[in-house]
């Protein structure tokens, strides 16, 4: 299978990097600080959503701004503790792409996203973070903004994601979707193509963009 695109739009956590250990440490501490029980916390979907949305599901509205600032601080401070690592295939795949043909589109704040990306040596030319949009994934706004910043028709973009919310955002933006089974099982992911991780893919730069292929 080959997919042709003018630009590739990558989610970060669970797609390019894994920060599950850091997320678990920080959010567990955060929940304890705000008196949120394990049962309450378990009912909330964390992955692929902004901290503001998660906090709003758990806390009174007047507490949310301070709570969001607190979890950002905890996660940024935890980056040097080794809780962020590159996922298989990330380095080789990104190195094969021109800098102006791809972007990172994340539900994390810009400060946190930049800290995690810098920790593993990824420096995207284009980054869309939670601070840049009014509505986060599964709304298509983040991916549509990335396409606009790259100057590419959304229909000519490919979204690479590990989370159902992000895949819904990509489809709503009219983009081709590729799902990675790094955090969810294949049957939970609705996408045009499902692979294990980026090591399953190769990219060939063409005169009009990028051709993605599944490795044999």
């Amino acid at each position: 299978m080959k997919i042709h695109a003018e630009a590739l739009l990558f989610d970060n956590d669970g797609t390019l990097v894994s920060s599950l250990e850091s997320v678990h440490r920080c959010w567990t501490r955060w929940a304890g600080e705000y008196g949120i029980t394990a049962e309450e916390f378990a009912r909330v979907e964390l992955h692929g959503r902004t901290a503001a949305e998660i906090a709003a599901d758990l806390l009174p509205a007047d507490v949310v701004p301070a709570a969001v600032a607190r979890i950002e601080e905890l996660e940024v401070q935890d980056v040097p503790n080794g809780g962020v690592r590159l996922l298989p295939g990330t380095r080789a795949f990104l190195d094969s792409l021109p800098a102006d043909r791809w972007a990172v589109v994340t539900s994390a704040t810009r400060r946190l996203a930049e800290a995690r990306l810098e920790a593993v040596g990824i420096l995207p030319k284009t980054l869309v973070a939670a601070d840049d949009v009014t509505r986060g994934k599964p709304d298509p706004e983040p991916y549509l903004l990335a396409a606009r910043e790259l100057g590419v028709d959304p229909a000519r973009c490919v979204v690479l994601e590990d989370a159902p919310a992000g895949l819904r955002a990509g489809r709503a933006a009219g983009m081709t979707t590729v799902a990675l089974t790094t955090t969810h099982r294949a049957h939970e992911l609705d996408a045009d193509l499902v692979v294990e991780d980026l090591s399953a893919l190769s990219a060939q730069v063409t005169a009009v963009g990028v051709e993605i292929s599944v490795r044999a």
Side-chain angles (χ1 to χ4, degrees), residues 43-85:
R43 288 196 293 267
V44 175
E45 175 61 38
L46 293 179
H47 199 63
R49 302 177 68 211
T50 66
E53 291 170 340
I54 297 167
D57 284 347
L58 292 165
L59 298 168
D62 61 327
V63 180
V64 169
V68 170
R70 178 57 177 157
I71 187 58
E72 180 187 57
E73 191 65 31
L74 288 172
E75 291 192 291
V76 170
Q77 290 178 351
D78 194 63
V79 168
N81 295 335
V84 182
R85 60 178 176 83

Side-chain angles (χ1 to χ4, degrees), residues 12 16-17 86 90-91 94 102 104 117-118 120-124:
N12 186 30
L16 300 178
V17 308
L86 282 174
T90 295
R91 176 70 62 200
L94 292 182
W102 64 278
V104 174
L117 290 167
E118 184 178 354
V120 293
I122 297 176
L123 302 173

